[in-house]
Amino acid sequence: MSEPLLKVRNLDVSVYDKKGKPFKIVDGISFDVQPGEVIALIGESGSGKTTISLGCMGYTRPGCHITNGTVDLGGTQVLDQSLPKLQELRGKDITYVAQSAAASFNGAMTIDAQVTEIPVITGAMSREDALAKAARLYNDLELPDPDNIGKRYPHQVSGGQLQRLMAAMAMISGPRLLILDEPTTALDVTTQIEVLASFKKLIKDNDTAAIYVTHDLSLVAQVADHILVLKDGQMVEYGTTDQIISDPQHDYTKALMAAAHLMPDEIHAPPITTTEETPLLQVKNVTAGYGAKQEIIALRDIDLTIHAGETVGVIGESGSGKTTLGRLISGLMGAKNGSVHLNGQQLAQSVGQRSRDELRQIQFAFQMADVALNPRQKLNKILSRPMMFYRGLSQSEATKEVARLLERVDLPTEFAWRFPPELSGGQRQRVNLARALAAEPKLIICDEITSALDTIVAQQILDLLEDLQDELGLSYMFITHDIATVSKISEQIAVMRHGRIVAQGSVDQVLTPPCHDYTQLLLNSVPEMRTDWLDEAVVERRKLVAALDGN
Amino acid sequence: MSLWEIVRHRLVLGVGTLLFVSVLVFVGTEILPGDVAHAILGQNATPELLDQVRERLGLNEPLHVRYFVWLTNFVSGDFGASLANGADIGTEVGRRASNTLLLALSTAVIAVPLAIALGLAAAVKPGGLVDRAITSTSLMLISFPDFLVAVVLVTIFAIKLRWLPAIASIRPSYDVFDWIRVLILPVTALTFTILAHMVRMTRSAVLNVLSSPAIEMAILKGVPRRRLLLRHALPNALGPIVNVVALNLAYLISGVVVIETLFNFPGLGRYMVEAVTNRDVPIVQTCAMIFCSFYVLLNMTADILSIMANPRVRYKK
């Protein structure tokens, strides 16, 4: 085997606590990257995968310190370089593609100015050469209008395009090592595979070595040669991609495999319930929009029915109107046409006009538990307030109820006296659910509540939702972009696109072929755990997109 | 909304604010004890004379009628005559305003670039020696009232060292160098008072931008430190900086009363103070309106500039 391009040895990265005691967040990591090879760092949040990849560039986030180890890039000791030397190395030899291109591009400069910035200011290329090379890269990445797209500002192109433009920025200097940090996580599922495919092609055509950081095993199976599995800053398993996905050794790797976002082998057919009783919730022929006169239409002709004890999955990509529908049902916004009925009674449009009991029956659980919970209030206060407000309990009665509620969502009762920031992401999402439960609702609108969580934790939250439904007979409206998750927990499903419901019915009806082109596109975008999936999926995707656009 | 619509919207709001302020100024001066007739007649006020004067000045008209007459005159540039000496207010305001503007502009030309440079220097390494020196000094300067700074400056440079004049009165014979000599102390005192706000706002706005993912990306793609600050961080921090600069410039026009009085500088601020002592209501009204107009105008400009600094608004999707 030839000499490796990158040699990382015994890398330690530490943070210091208030007493100045170091705590290792990356612990003794060693690995090699061969020229032209893609190595994947995989693990959940907090596993140190991003910290390691940044460490390879000699960079640490504020508060972190590299306390031990060496990084050797083709004979250069990266960690020993002075800052100006490092800045030269970073622009030329190692480049970086960040998770959120939307946040990582400078909004005040044109795309071309940012893509060509480094080669131009270092004198490596003339401005004209750099622009020409950028246009070639845009073309290779299959961006629309490659000669002119760079003249725009970042906000004028879509998220998927930005992510590819960022790859162009990383490739323009012809780096020896490319670091991709969750480069498709922020994208819609159907966009993700296009972007992934262009990254794969780019790496292969330029014979660049790459470190691919992600939490998604099925994605990594498409691009990586080797996989390094991380947990709590330590390496738990290392091997070739085939070996890891076909024969994982470590229990943690197996757990990651089990929780991966895969379509279940068989879509369960829910029992047909032919109830004559009034449905819990009915949305009838609703059209709604934003703006002073609701002139920007976000929902068109929506009909949706939720029966008691049932889970209805609402699925769609960003901008499809699924969150707007949730907001409309809960009374956070009004409709232009149509009506919402609870137990057969028509509901007033806005929260302010609904009775307290109507409000109590529909509760909302938000996506970001860390933002939705007041960080300065103890859980006891957060959870007892809806009990006192909706159910008229006294503070002491509510405090007793809080203990029971915490047990119900599998949290220790002494958490009542903690603040939200002291909890982990998964625990906070449990509190978020508990707050909705505190009102003793009939329907909980769950808006992407598992999207920000690691796969294993997300699975636990889904299990909790099912347990609660069995015990309490709750109904859920489960809003998500993840068709694999929704197919596992819903009885009914509604597929939304551009503000309309394009397909609706029981899970097996909607998801079993032949289905609507858009449903098929979503299904087709869920990665499969085999290395040849991507190429087939891209071909299939183009056919479906063409069919959809043709309509 | 397009840029033009936003600008038009701001203009309408600005005019609305001014109208509201004009009502406040008019009503405010109306409810002062004693009316203009009293002020004119002074010791000679007998009920008959008062009635005559009121009739002549139209003071018996209802409040809203007098307001509209006053406003129409004001807008058309007729500020009326001084009650004290009958001189035309417009002429005097013109002379005084140009003096105040000169003082304000000289201060702005020095203070604004200095503040941005110091703010940037402090933001380079937060918590470092330079940062601590700059932030603690600026905090100290904020805490000192402007008259104290001025008095200290006068004591040192005019009285002890005798380098500069303690009084900034203007003579027609002055050439450029005399002007500079006269302006040094008031400009320095004003610079000290307005510098601190702008330094601190620049620092915090730049620091805020520096902690964003876009800057981390710029570091990781190898942008050198200097360029990082000037090309990547500063343009994104312009919005808040422009706003605090505008507030301070507005202060320079309207808030210089103390400094003008202290240095006996014949500007608008001192004109107003003199008018207040003489109960010369038309002058007070005029000066108040001019100050308010500057406030509204500068803040509106800042709003529009900071909106324009954002390419999201300049270039639509």
Side-chain angles (χ1 to χ4, degrees), chain B residues 87-130:
Chain B
D88 179 44
I89 297 178
T91 331
E92 185 65 10
V93 160
R95 201 170 65 80
R96 299 284 190 133
S98 56
N99 287 342
T100 294
L101 273 180
L102 182 69
L103 181 62
L105 276 179
S106 319
T107 313
V109 164
I110 294 167
V112 174
L114 187 66
I116 291 176
L118 286 174
L120 274 175
V124 169
K125 204 176 166 203
L129 198 65
V130 178

Side-chain angles (χ1 to χ4, degrees), chain A residues 54 57 59 61 87 90-91 96 103-109 114 117-118 121 153 155-156 166 169, chain B residues 213-214 216-225 227 231-232 235-236 311-317:
Chain A
L54 293 175
M57 305 183 78
Y59 179 82
R61 295 230 161 107
Q87 289 305 79
R90 283 173 186 162
Y96 183 76
S104 298
F105 265 103
N106 185 337
M109 291 164 77
Q114 296 181 66
E117 181 174 17
I118 295 302
I121 63 170
Y153 281 85
H155 70 277
Q156 295 173 304
M166 180 162 274
M169 182 159 83
Chain B
E216 181 175 80
M217 184 66 221
I219 296 173
L220 288 174
K221 80 177 201 188
V223 176
R225 193 77 203 164
R227 189 178 167 85
R231 283 283 282 132
H232 287 260
N236 284 299
R312 276 170 194 279
V313 187
R314 257 186 298 149
Y315 305 96
K316 300 308 285 181
K317 281 199 176 204

Side-chain angles (χ1 to χ4, degrees), chain A residues 176-224:
Chain A
R176 289 191 279 170
L177 178 66
L178 177 65
I179 293 175
L180 300 139
D181 187 1
E182 304 250 16
T184 64
T185 309
L187 302 177
D188 271 328
V189 278
T190 62
T191 322
Q192 169 170 292
I193 62 171
E194 280 285 354
V195 175
L196 196 65
S198 22
F199 285 174
K200 190 178 179 179
K201 182 166 174 283
L202 199 67
I203 293 168
K204 219 174 125 209
D205 292 353
N206 292 280
D207 203 23
T208 312
I211 297 177
Y212 196 102
V213 176
T214 182
H215 66 278
D216 192 338
L217 253 176
S218 50
L219 274 187
V220 113
Q222 314 305 323
V223 287

Side-chain angles (χ1 to χ4, degrees), chain B residues 95-315:
Chain B
R95 201 170 65 80
R96 299 284 190 133
S98 56
N99 287 342
T100 294
L101 273 180
L102 182 69
L103 181 62
L105 276 179
S106 319
T107 313
V109 164
I110 294 167
V112 174
L114 187 66
I116 291 176
L118 286 174
L120 274 175
V124 169
K125 204 176 166 203
L129 198 65
V130 178
D131 178 36
R132 275 182 295 168
I134 292 175
T135 42
S136 56
T137 315
S138 65
L139 193 65
M140 209 170 70
L141 285 175
I142 288 186
S143 328
F144 283 138
D146 47 2
F147 60 85
L148 183 68
V149 175
V151 168
V152 169
L153 285 174
V154 166
T155 316
I156 297 174
F157 293 101
I159 299 174
K160 294 274 187 235
L161 297 173
R162 293 178 174 279
W163 288 353
L164 295 162
I167 289 177
S169 47
I170 307 288
R171 302 223 173 81
S173 60
Y174 275 8
D175 61 12
V176 181
F177 297 103
D178 293 324
W179 271 98
I180 292 176
R181 247 172 73 80
V182 160
L183 282 178
I184 286 177
L185 280 185
V187 163
T188 314
L190 279 173
T191 302
F192 279 172
T193 18
I194 66 163
L195 192 65
H197 290 116
M198 293 191 288
V199 169
R200 294 175 75 83
M201 183 53 93
T202 306
R203 175 184 178 274
S204 69
V206 169
L207 275 184
N208 200 8
V209 173
L210 280 180
S211 64
S212 70
I215 294 299
E216 181 175 80
M217 184 66 221
I219 296 173
L220 288 174
K221 80 177 201 188
V223 176
R225 193 77 203 164
R226 221 184 129 77
R227 189 178 167 85
L228 188 75
L229 273 177
L230 295 178
R231 283 283 282 132
H232 287 260
L234 192 57
N236 284 299
L238 271 185
I241 296 177
V242 166
N243 272 307
V244 77
V245 166
L247 263 184
N248 280 292
L249 292 186
Y251 173 84
L252 278 181
I253 304 290
S254 57
V256 289
V257 177
V258 176
I259 295 290
E260 284 186 2
T261 316
L262 230 147
F263 286 97
N264 208 23
F265 182 81
L268 269 186
R270 218 185 88 213
Y271 190 43
M272 185 168 173
V273 172
E274 289 162 0
V276 170
T277 356
N278 300 334
R279 280 175 58 193
D280 206 335
V281 176
I283 299 183
V284 176
Q285 287 173 333
T286 307
C287 288
M289 281 307 291
I290 290 175
F291 290 157
C292 291
S293 311
F294 266 109
Y295 249 103
V296 171
L297 193 74
L298 280 164
N299 279 306
M300 200 170 67
T301 316
D303 272 359
I304 293 172
L305 278 181
S306 63
I307 290 168
M308 276 166 49
N310 183 352
R312 276 170 194 279
V313 187
R314 257 186 298 149
Y315 305 96

Side-chain angles (χ1 to χ4, degrees), chain A residues 516-537:
Chain A
H516 187 275
D517 281 344
Y518 185 65
T519 317
Q520 190 60 49
L521 178 63
L522 289 174
L523 284 170
N524 174 63
S525 304
V526 182
E528 288 172 28
M529 200 71 85
R530 53 189 171 92
T531 47
D532 53 356
W533 166 78
L534 182 65
D535 302 326
E536 295 168 21

Side-chain angles (χ1 to χ4, degrees), chain A residues 116-129:
Chain A
T116 60
E117 181 174 17
I118 295 302
V120 170
I121 63 170
T122 55
M125 291 182 204
S126 72
R127 199 174 170 73
E128 292 70 35
D129 290 350

Side-chain angles (χ1 to χ4, degrees), chain A residues 177-431:
Chain A
L177 178 66
L178 177 65
I179 293 175
L180 300 139
D181 187 1
E182 304 250 16
T184 64
T185 309
L187 302 177
D188 271 328
V189 278
T190 62
T191 322
Q192 169 170 292
I193 62 171
E194 280 285 354
V195 175
L196 196 65
S198 22
F199 285 174
K200 190 178 179 179
K201 182 166 174 283
L202 199 67
I203 293 168
K204 219 174 125 209
D205 292 353
N206 292 280
D207 203 23
T208 312
I211 297 177
Y212 196 102
V213 176
T214 182
H215 66 278
D216 192 338
L217 253 176
S218 50
L219 274 187
V220 113
Q222 314 305 323
V223 287
D225 302 305
H226 283 88
I227 294 179
L228 195 156
V229 184
L230 292 157
K231 185 172 194 291
D232 301 330
Q234 290 178 327
M235 188 181 92
V236 292
E237 195 164 349
Y238 176 79
T240 64
T241 303
D242 283 331
Q243 183 191 328
I244 298 268
I245 61 174
S246 60
D247 184 23
Q249 298 298 310
H250 196 277
D251 285 345
Y252 182 70
T253 317
K254 288 177 191 165
L256 274 181
M257 290 284 292
H261 287 283
L262 297 176
M263 284 306 288
D265 294 333
E266 269 184 19
I267 293 157
H268 72 283
I272 314 251
T273 44
T274 47
T275 45
E276 292 298 315
E277 60 188 279
T278 338
L280 176 66
L281 186 98
Q282 275 179 299
V283 178
K284 290 186 184 167
N285 198 24
V286 159
T287 297
Y290 293 98
K293 292 178 192 133
Q294 300 208 352
E295 68 276 9
I296 307 154
I297 297 295
L299 295 174
R300 270 176 218 278
D301 310 328
I302 301 286
D303 283 296
L304 187 78
T305 303
I306 303 178
H307 288 278
E310 193 179 63
T311 301
V312 174
V314 175
I315 180 155
E317 297 183 85
S318 48
S320 62
K322 55 191 194 304
T323 295
T324 310
L325 180 57
R327 288 168 52 87
L328 182 114
I329 292 172
S330 60
L332 290 173
M333 63 177 282
K336 198 174 179 181
N337 283 315
S339 55
V340 180
H341 302 256
L342 182 71
N343 298 318
Q345 300 283 318
Q346 186 171 345
L347 286 175
Q349 295 225 339
S350 83
V351 187
Q353 295 158 353
R354 293 186 184 178
S355 76
R356 197 169 281 197
D357 194 57
E358 286 168 344
L359 292 175
R360 180 184 65 77
Q361 296 189 47
I362 304 177
Q363 292 292 313
F364 207 103
F366 292 94
Q367 173 176 4
M368 308 292 269
D370 43 347
V371 191
L373 301 174
N374 187 334
R376 304 284 173 114
Q377 285 184 353
K378 289 184 176 146
L379 300 196
N380 187 53
K381 183 154 187 204
I382 293 174
L383 296 177
S384 55
R385 196 208 165 252
M387 296 174 181
M388 291 153 73
F389 180 77
Y390 288 117
R391 292 156 59 192
L393 301 189
S394 71
Q395 178 66 67
S396 60
E397 287 169 328
T399 304
K400 283 189 203 122
E401 275 281 299
V402 167
R404 283 189 33 220
L405 191 59
L406 285 171
E407 275 179 10
R408 174 150 265 162
V409 295
D410 301 323
L411 288 175
T413 48
E414 64 265 24
F415 271 31
W417 309 107
R418 294 210 187 167
F419 292 97
E422 300 170 45
L423 274 54
S424 73
Q427 288 169 339
R428 277 197 292 253
Q429 199 54 271
R430 282 168 194 271
V431 175

